[in-house]
Amino acid sequence: MFFLKSKKVKSKNNNLKILSGYNYRYRNIGKESEKTIIKYADHFNFDYEIDNRNTFERHFYWLKIKMLIDHLENGKHEYYLWLDADTFICRYENILNNIDQSKHIFVHNQFFKSKHKSKIPNVDYLTWGPNVGVLLVRNTKWSLNFFKNVWNKKKYLRHHWPDNAAFMDELGYKAEISNLSDNKPSKKTLEKFYFLSGLWNSMPKKILITLLIMKFLIFTLTLLLFIWQVLDGEIELTLLKNIKVYA
């Protein structure tokens, strides 16, 4: 059995506190993530608490919900920022400068490749749903009640997205945990949410693929435009003699 120090804590101001945690099963990636979290916190003088306990009453994914509830009940910070243990911070921007501070909960809403199959061959559904790996929460009674409701959804204890599924249910984005037609969050609930840009919760591999596709499209469009100009007589064919192609 591996044992880690139970907590790493910094408490100096009441503006924002970063929360994270991992157990011995995630210690390798967790330790590396922890370094970037602390560096980011120190850069903006944010407080932080990283919980390294080895035992928890539920699947360890639920730790974020419990820590948020405990801090919303007893803490004095205006905001709490949960970061999963596989989070690596690459953007040194103050997240509080990128939100509508009148809202209560801030999360990235992403597309999921739906488990529901379409009737059209080679066509998949994409559905909206939150990814709770990064969660910014304003310290309000509404936020506290929301996360208490999430915690109480015990039917998701054995779900493959335990905490995320419970969060999706409470928010109202239920397509991937129920029927396709159940993505119906209420207007009253949505008014409390602010959806973060994907820059705050993204996967580098997906971004790299997107950039490569964009570069290919730009190159193709530029080449087609050049060919069209040549055929249209705007560029003298004699110029082609001076063009060298390098592999």
Side-chain angles (χ1 to χ4, degrees):
M1 177 66 70
F2 295 89
F3 294 95
L4 303 168
K5 293 181 180 179
S6 59
K7 285 184 182 180
K8 288 188 178 179
V9 181
K10 171 189 170 186
S11 298
K12 289 188 177 180
N13 72 63
N14 292 328
N15 189 21
L16 183 148
K17 184 175 185 178
I18 299 175
L19 306 175
S20 189
Y22 58 91
N23 60 12
Y24 71 96
R25 294 182 61 187
Y26 297 89
R27 66 189 183 279
N28 291 332
I29 192 170
K31 288 179 180 179
E32 298 305 317
S33 171
E34 180 181 296
K35 293 176 185 177
T36 72
I37 291 173
I38 292 175
K39 188 175 180 180
Y40 179 78
D42 288 343
H43 184 78
F44 290 105
N45 195 31
F46 293 150
D47 290 347
Y48 59 81
E49 180 175 327
I50 301 172
D51 196 319
N52 302 137
R53 72 181 75 183
N54 280 313
T55 58
F56 188 58
E57 59 196 281
R58 295 184 180 183
H59 191 293
F60 208 78
Y61 289 163
W62 288 92
L63 177 66
K64 66 166 66 76
I65 309 300
K66 186 66 165 61
M67 286 184 72
L68 284 167
I69 291 172
D70 290 346
H71 281 81
L72 290 169
E73 284 184 328
N74 306 306
K76 297 181 180 179
H77 293 81
E78 186 176 358
Y79 291 93
Y80 295 101
L81 174 61
W82 170 269
L83 299 174
D84 273 358
D86 59 354
T87 303
F88 288 81
I89 300 174
C90 304
R91 293 168 58 82
Y92 278 78
E93 293 184 22
N94 188 332
I95 192 171
L96 298 181
N97 294 335
N98 291 267
I99 62 170
D100 177 351
Q101 297 191 17
S102 69
K103 305 297 183 179
H104 295 248
I105 297 176
F106 311 79
V107 65
H108 175 50
N109 210 24
Q110 68 179 42
F111 278 123
F112 288 88
K113 182 179 178 181
S114 181
K115 67 177 185 179
H116 303 284
K117 304 302 180 182
S118 75
K119 296 180 180 179
I120 305 172
N122 303 313
V123 174
D124 295 313
Y125 290 121
L126 293 176
T127 60
W128 279 111
N131 182 326
V132 298
V134 175
L135 273 172
L136 178 65
V137 182
R138 188 156 67 94
N139 192 349
T140 66
K141 185 177 180 180
W142 191 93
S143 297
L144 174 60
N145 289 333
F146 181 92
F147 282 102
K148 282 185 174 180
N149 291 339
V150 171
W151 179 262
N152 289 332
K153 294 185 182 299
K154 296 181 180 180
K155 64 181 179 179
Y156 297 109
L157 288 178
R158 297 186 179 276
H159 194 276
H160 58 282
W161 298 333
D163 56 317
N164 212 119
F167 188 97
M168 293 166 80
D169 189 331
E170 183 65 17
L171 175 53
Y173 282 106
K174 303 181 183 181
E176 297 311 305
I177 55 176
S178 183
N179 299 316
L180 190 61
S181 59
D182 288 339
N183 255 22
K184 296 179 179 178
S186 70
K187 182 179 179 181
K188 185 176 181 181
T189 300
L190 283 179
E191 286 176 348
K192 305 292 185 180
F193 273 78
Y194 181 88
F195 293 111
L196 297 169
S197 160
L199 294 173
W200 291 100
N201 189 356
S202 60
M203 299 180 184
K205 184 177 179 181
K206 290 185 177 181
I207 292 178
L208 179 59
I209 291 172
T210 301
L211 289 174
L212 289 174
I213 292 172
M214 289 176 64
K215 287 183 177 180
F216 174 76
L217 290 174
I218 292 171
F219 171 78
T220 303
L221 289 172
T222 303
L223 182 61
L224 288 174
L225 178 60
F226 176 78
I227 293 172
W228 176 80
Q229 289 176 327
V230 169
L231 294 176
D232 201 46
E234 292 185 17
I235 298 179
E236 294 292 337
L237 291 177
T238 53
L239 290 177
L240 296 177
K241 296 179 180 178
N242 297 319
I243 296 176
K244 295 181 180 179
V245 178
Y246 295 91

